[in-house]
Amino acid sequence: MPNWELKNCCDHDQVAFIVTIGVFTFVILALWRTVLLTPFKLITVFLHETSHALACKLTCGDVEGIQVHANEGGVTQTRGGIYWIILPAGYLGSSFWGMVFILASTNLITTRIAAGCFLLALVVVLFVAKNWLLRGLCIGFIVFIAIIWLLQETTKVHILRYVILFIGVMNSLFSVYDIYDDLISRRVHSSDAEKFAEICPCPCNGVAWGVIWGLISFTFLCGSIYLGLVLSIRLDSDLLRFPGFIYILICSGFIDSC
């Protein structure tokens, strides 16, 4: 039965879950401005734009194309649909997918389901992509996830769950940062929040919507950690077998940033 009140927290498995997220958060922040994280930042933009596309399709619109750019921006070309639902779906959708990936990583079966759905999304977007960067990103991650999955099933290198968890943590952190960077710190006037403020009858400007969406995104992140603890997940000690890999990543990040 789920332990909603987190009584007797935290046992070994819950501590392992928190520590793993903490390690990944540290690695992500340490490598934030390095090229090593660029593919994962771009995949977050991919999920952002995919969320726009899903919202468009769910509101009976048509998706004409999706682009992801090297400057970590993206564009989803839509026709029809409910615009005030499509606009916030990017930021909030990527935060939601971050939570889904984090929770999916707590069990091997759900990890496989998440990886399979992720691969399917990559294949679908590959055929609607409008620029070669997005096509290359889709192909690269299809190959990457396929190799990790093959290693999971045929060798003792069981890291599929940690790859999915890393993508989830990266997505959650980047979506919060993206909202702050676009809507609060420098206020990009072409942002989704500014456009949303123009069509929304509420007396809120783009910055206000940025704050609201940022709080919702941060709530998704906190909620994923809480639900993970409630589930009392069992994590393997695979992560502890790769301290050298993590150490090399962190050192590489510091060297590249100098």
Side-chain angles (χ1 to χ4, degrees), residues 41-201:
K41 287 183 177 181
L42 294 178
I43 209 65
T44 299
V45 177
F46 160 84
L47 288 170
H48 175 110
E49 301 303 330
T50 300
S51 298
H52 281 310
L54 284 173
C56 177
K57 296 299 291 185
L58 290 174
T59 55
C60 302
D62 292 318
V63 179
E64 298 181 340
I66 299 176
Q67 297 181 40
V68 170
H69 302 141
N71 64 354
E72 298 169 15
V75 176
T76 300
Q77 298 168 310
T78 63
R79 185 177 68 253
I82 302 177
Y83 200 44
W84 61 269
I85 292 179
I86 297 172
L87 282 173
Y91 292 115
L92 300 184
S94 58
S95 300
F96 173 76
W97 294 124
M99 181 179 72
V100 168
F101 274 51
I102 290 173
L103 293 178
S105 69
T106 61
N107 181 279
L108 186 55
I109 294 176
T110 53
T111 297
R112 291 188 178 111
I113 294 173
C117 292
F118 186 42
L119 285 172
L120 178 62
L122 289 167
V123 171
V124 171
V125 172
L126 179 62
F127 290 97
V128 297
K130 290 296 184 179
N131 64 331
W132 280 105
L133 177 63
L134 179 54
R135 294 188 188 104
L137 184 70
C138 290
I139 294 172
F141 267 87
I142 288 172
V143 173
F144 173 66
I145 297 297
I147 291 174
I148 295 298
W149 202 334
L150 182 63
L151 291 174
Q152 172 78 31
E153 303 299 335
T154 61
T155 71
K156 294 183 179 180
V157 182
H158 299 161
I159 60 172
L160 180 62
R161 290 166 66 176
Y162 294 102
V163 170
I164 295 299
L165 177 58
F166 185 86
I167 293 174
V169 174
M170 177 70 205
N171 210 69
S172 297
L173 293 176
F174 189 81
S175 60
V176 174
Y177 169 81
D178 205 26
I179 291 174
Y180 172 78
D181 188 49
D182 284 353
L183 312 179
I184 301 173
S185 68
R186 57 190 180 97
R187 192 172 180 180
V188 177
H189 292 285
S190 61
S191 68
D192 296 338
E194 292 291 345
K195 295 177 182 177
F196 187 79
E198 293 174 0
I199 65 173
C200 181

